[in-house]
Amino acid sequence: MLNVHLVAHTHDDVGWLKTVDQYYYGSRSSIQKAGVQYILDSVIQELLKDVTRRFIFVESAFMQKWYLEQNEEMREIVRNLVNEGRLEFIGGAWSMNDEASVHYQSVIDQFTWGLRFLNDTFGECGRPRAGWQIDPFGHSREQGSLFVQMGYDGLFQGRLDFQDKANRIAQQTMEMMWKTSDSLENSELFTSGLYYIYAPPPGFCFDVLCNDDPIIDGPYSKDNNVKEKVDLFLDTVHNMSKTFLTNNIILTMGEDFHYQDANMWFKNLDKLIRYTNARQEEGSMVNVFYSTPSCYLKAVNDAQVEWPTKSDDFFPYASDPTAFWTGYYTSRPTQKRYEREGNHFLQ
């Protein structure tokens, strides 16, 4: 079987176009429609509806701000979800730091601040097992070395140079053992380059901020699109599978400040899982399920593959100048992302 790990996630910048409080409370919507408090409110309620659902959260700055506002009953609910592995913290730093122009001490300090909160609040089950550097523009070997020294099991990266990425896709080297230091022993870190940076595949963005059609399964609806959606999804994952060395692939199902209305995402992901897996009765060898980066790490580790290696940086970084027109971003709202993603190619 081809195992498709669906990772429900939100990427929440700790300050970008708005201040931290504006992002958290959802003010200044004319700049960007983003309110992290609504994301966490909504996700928790959706996780409680179905024990198979999973969600990951990354930025401890927002988690602490939200958690301290909750009553003890809600805090207990959140702790239980963490203990059961249904809400998992990934990365876990105060924010997702840049890697190209920061001092290592600043990185250590802000990881210490975020990880201390998770440890003091949630204990061992709140400990992140995977690095999640999906939005820094390029990746440094030293950042990988810090993850090794902090005891992480693996690292997921979003932004590889587009020429490097195209070459890795062609040669099945998107996943590797990264030797992160010449001077430290046991410095290897399993590292995975995400296929869609951190967005969902085109056609499968089910957020209130997206324009893709939902999965329409009304038996008498003339707009019923289950067959078309599943056909497209199967084509997508089969094409992706040619890039990776195991029978596991990871799909990031989320984007910037997604899940403010988590019901939209989870309702459609439930349908996607149900109708895709139903094709197994017709001979399909695709198995889809909710997962997390740490579950994916275990699956690829169990495959016992001999991985390619790398020992230098993922710099310099450049985005694909044709990405806007070739489908990478057609499913995500443009908002002001063009300001940091290839705008100079559009002038």
Side-chain angles (χ1 to χ4, degrees):
M1 301 291 286
L2 173 62
N3 295 310
V4 181
H5 299 247
L6 299 184
V7 176
H9 82 104
T10 179
H11 173 57
D12 302 332
D13 301 274
V14 185
W16 173 36
L17 300 177
K18 304 196 293 186
T19 68
V20 175
D21 274 1
Q22 288 166 358
Y23 270 130
Y24 178 75
Y25 291 108
S27 61
R28 303 296 296 277
S29 291
S30 61
I31 299 174
Q32 189 177 12
K33 293 185 182 300
V36 178
Q37 63 172 337
Y38 306 121
I39 295 172
L40 290 167
D41 287 343
S42 184
V43 164
I44 297 303
Q45 295 306 313
E46 291 304 312
L47 291 177
L48 295 175
K49 293 178 181 179
D50 187 337
V51 296
T52 68
R53 292 174 173 177
R54 302 279 189 274
F55 191 81
I56 67 168
F57 198 81
V58 180
E59 295 84 7
S60 291
F62 286 130
M63 174 54 69
Q64 187 206 49
K65 195 172 186 66
W66 179 84
Y67 187 83
L68 293 178
E69 292 181 350
Q70 307 309 305
N71 58 34
E72 186 54 37
E73 179 183 4
M74 178 54 69
R75 292 180 182 181
E76 182 65 20
I77 288 172
V78 174
R79 288 193 294 266
N80 287 338
L81 289 172
V82 172
N83 291 339
E84 294 167 1
R86 294 155 63 190
L87 175 63
E88 184 170 317
F89 300 114
I90 298 295
W94 201 241
S95 67
M96 191 180 300
N97 61 270
D98 184 24
E99 300 185 33
S101 58
V102 294
H103 193 272
Y104 74 93
Q105 189 62 58
S106 298
V107 178
I108 292 172
D109 285 348
Q110 68 104 20
F111 264 91
T112 300
W113 194 252
L115 295 175
R116 179 180 295 164
F117 161 70
L118 296 179
N119 181 70
D120 292 348
T121 308
F122 302 105
E124 180 64 20
C125 290
R127 173 189 167 191
R129 300 287 178 172
W132 191 252
Q133 294 290 104
I134 58 173
D135 205 22
F137 292 3
H139 304 284
S140 75
R141 188 188 193 198
E142 282 66 33
Q143 179 77 40
S145 179
L146 291 176
F147 278 120
V148 171
Q149 295 176 71
M150 289 187 289
Y152 284 68
D153 296 331
L155 170 62
F156 294 85
Q157 299 176 335
R159 299 188 181 278
L160 284 62
D161 176 84
F162 75 98
Q163 295 177 97
D164 183 18
K165 183 175 182 177
N167 187 58
R168 290 182 175 280
I169 287 174
Q171 298 186 9
Q172 290 186 302
T173 56
M174 286 286 282
E175 297 182 325
M176 71 215 76
M177 292 301 295
W178 195 8
K179 182 176 174 58
T180 62
S181 174
D182 288 330
S183 58
L184 298 176
E185 295 183 0
N186 301 318
S187 68
E188 292 80 11
L189 180 68
F190 175 83
T191 302
S192 178
L194 296 171
Y195 194 89
Y196 289 106
I197 304 182
Y198 59 88
F204 298 94
C205 191
F206 300 123
D207 197 78
V208 67
L209 298 174
C210 297
N211 296 319
D212 291 342
D213 287 337
I215 297 176
I216 303 170
D217 58 352
Y220 304 111
S221 174
K222 66 178 182 179
D223 295 325
N224 187 303
N225 62 2
V226 171
K227 182 180 185 306
E228 291 78 6
K229 283 286 190 181
V230 174
D231 286 346
L232 176 60
F233 187 74
L234 290 174
D235 286 344
T236 298
V237 297
H238 281 305
N239 287 333
M240 281 186 63
S241 69
K242 300 173 185 177
T243 301
F244 298 93
L245 294 178
T246 77
N247 64 329
N248 296 275
I249 61 174
I250 184 170
L251 281 181
T252 47
M253 305 307 281
E255 240 279 3
D256 289 12
F257 299 97
H258 279 198
Y259 290 82
Q260 293 176 76
D261 181 1
N263 175 59
M264 290 182 65
W265 259 113
F266 281 112
K267 190 167 189 174
N268 283 279
L269 290 178
D270 287 347
K271 292 180 180 181
L272 182 63
I273 292 170
R274 181 167 72 252
Y275 291 120
T276 302
N277 289 344
R279 290 284 187 95
Q280 294 171 15
E281 297 178 1
E282 304 173 17
S284 171
M285 296 294 288
V286 174
N287 182 39
V288 191
F289 49 91
Y290 288 108
S291 187
T292 67
S294 60
C295 292
Y296 180 80
L297 286 176
K298 183 181 187 306
V300 295
N301 181 70
D302 290 346
Q304 297 184 346
V305 169
E306 183 176 349
W307 301 102
T309 60
K310 181 179 173 66
S311 59
D312 56 347
D313 294 319
F314 286 93
F315 287 125
Y317 169 77
S319 60
D320 186 348
T322 66
F324 263 93
W325 315 114
T326 56
Y328 277 112
Y329 306 111
T330 55
S331 64
R332 55 172 79 175
T334 55
Q335 296 176 343
K336 293 191 176 181
R337 177 169 291 280
Y338 66 85
E339 292 181 354
R340 62 170 180 174
E341 191 75 56
N343 183 43
H344 54 291
F345 296 113
L346 303 179
Q347 295 293 337

